[in-house]
Amino acid sequence: MEEIRKISVVIPVFNEEENVPLLYEKLKDVLEKLPYDYEIIFVDDGSTDRTPRVLEEIAAKDPKVKVIEFARNFGQTAAMAAGMDHATGDVIITMDGDLQNDPEDIPRLLEEIKKGYDVVSGWRKNRQDAAISRKLPSKIANWLIGKLTGVRIHDYGCTLKAYRSDVIKRVRLYGELHRFIPALAATVTSVDRIVEIPVKHHPRRFGKSKYGISRTFKVISDLFFIWFLQKFMQKPIHFFGILGLILFLIGFVPFLYLVFLKLTGHSIGGRPLLIVSVLFILAGIQMFTTGIISEILMRIYYESQNKVPYVIRRAINFEQEG
């Protein structure tokens, strides 16, 4: 990859007034020892405690600290997206603001980036969280995500990750998709350029976790969206068309049978099979039309924004004309 000149550390925070000063000091100590320029971007996600004031005080003393303050709570995905959008580094590192991620792991993440990887994901191998409410749902979710997306890593939920800026800035984050970033990144880079390394994980010292077991259901619903995005973003008719064909055939075969009965003099008006076959035929036609509409929307998505359905890593011996 190109030489690393500057790194950006993006940290979403929500009600972390006690953790932020300690995290800043640890980060500064680690980053100043690295041979790169750096910036620290704190994104306050509508905190209701003194977090905004604490961040303001830190930024006033250190120009390398930048603060983005949301008008209200928009969620971790939005906070991460805002930080990445405003980052100017060649490498963007994300981490939590609760001191559970360790800044001392940053040099190790950068070493993997220098080897040519586009995404380096942290793996909390010795995770310091509750077994039932945090670890078990996380293991199930990680297995499901890896199975459906093909990007098999142990710990999608670990925020401590490093990204090449020119790769991650092509990934648009909406909803609550921050936990799926490695899978989303696989749509713009090769899976072989995504790697995972073990990182430290500390127990939370101050405050309380903002997440519980209820987010497992959100993960599952988001997962199916990611799967569809990966497989059918550029060819939605393949999904809806195949599904429509299956439904149509399920309805059309018994419908032909009923037509045969009708032609041979049998009454079919009171048969439930007639209603069922017509419903399947209509559902199949509806899937076909949904696929066609999706194809049109996909083309509008690319053409209205001058997007192309491919990503060029680099071009050699091409001279800019004009």
Side-chain angles (χ1 to χ4, degrees), residues 18-19 22 26 98-100 202-207:
E18 295 170 300
N19 291 316
L22 297 175
K26 288 186 175 183
D98 56 10
L99 292 176
Q100 290 195 271
H202 303 292
R204 176 179 271 273
R205 293 174 58 186
F206 305 105

Side-chain angles (χ1 to χ4, degrees), residues 86-290:
H86 288 79
T88 59
D90 304 298
V91 176
I92 298 175
I93 296 170
T94 59
M95 64 187 304
D96 284 327
D98 56 10
L99 292 176
Q100 290 195 271
N101 296 145
D102 197 322
E104 291 183 0
D105 286 315
I106 289 177
R108 296 176 52 240
L109 296 176
L110 293 172
E111 284 301 314
E112 297 300 315
I113 290 288
K114 288 167 65 178
K115 290 178 183 178
Y117 291 105
D118 292 335
V119 178
V120 185
S121 183
W123 173 17
R124 297 166 295 182
K125 199 168 184 179
N126 185 26
R127 187 173 176 180
Q128 303 297 311
D129 282 321
I132 301 299
S133 63
R134 299 296 297 277
K135 288 185 181 180
L136 180 60
S138 181
K139 284 186 177 181
I140 295 172
N142 289 324
W143 180 83
L144 275 174
I145 297 169
K147 194 74 174 176
L148 286 181
T149 66
V151 183
R152 301 179 183 274
I153 61 178
H154 295 86
D155 193 359
Y156 269 88
C158 181
T159 305
L160 184 57
K161 293 180 172 70
Y163 310 93
R164 278 183 52 201
S165 180
D166 59 343
V167 170
I168 195 59
K169 283 181 179 285
R170 294 191 184 112
V171 177
R172 304 312 300 169
L173 299 177
Y174 304 98
E176 295 188 22
L177 299 183
H178 63 275
R179 61 179 64 89
F180 298 103
I181 291 180
L184 289 169
T187 63
V188 297
T189 189
S190 168
V191 174
D192 295 334
R193 288 180 174 267
I194 300 172
V195 73
E196 183 180 42
I197 64 171
V199 295
K200 301 171 187 173
H201 191 242
H202 303 292
R204 176 179 271 273
R205 293 174 58 186
F206 305 105
K208 60 181 181 178
S209 173
K210 315 302 186 298
Y211 306 103
I213 196 169
S214 61
R215 73 170 177 165
T216 303
F217 303 104
K218 297 178 182 178
V219 170
I220 293 173
S221 60
D222 286 339
L223 174 57
F224 284 103
F225 170 70
I226 295 297
W227 171 78
F228 180 85
L229 202 64
Q230 272 195 324
K231 303 294 183 182
F232 303 105
M233 175 63 181
Q234 296 180 28
K235 48 184 184 296
I237 191 66
H238 289 192
F239 175 79
F240 292 107
I242 292 172
L243 183 58
L245 180 61
I246 292 171
L247 293 173
F248 185 85
L249 290 176
I250 291 174
F252 191 66
V253 171
F255 184 78
L256 286 178
Y257 167 70
L258 292 172
V259 169
F260 172 77
L261 290 180
K262 182 67 175 178
L263 293 175
T264 55
H266 295 82
S267 175
I268 63 173
R271 292 174 179 250
L273 185 60
L274 177 61
I275 298 174
V276 172
S277 63
V278 171
L279 284 174
F280 272 98
I281 290 171
L282 291 175
I285 294 172
Q286 187 175 34
M287 285 295 104
F288 272 119
T289 55
T290 300

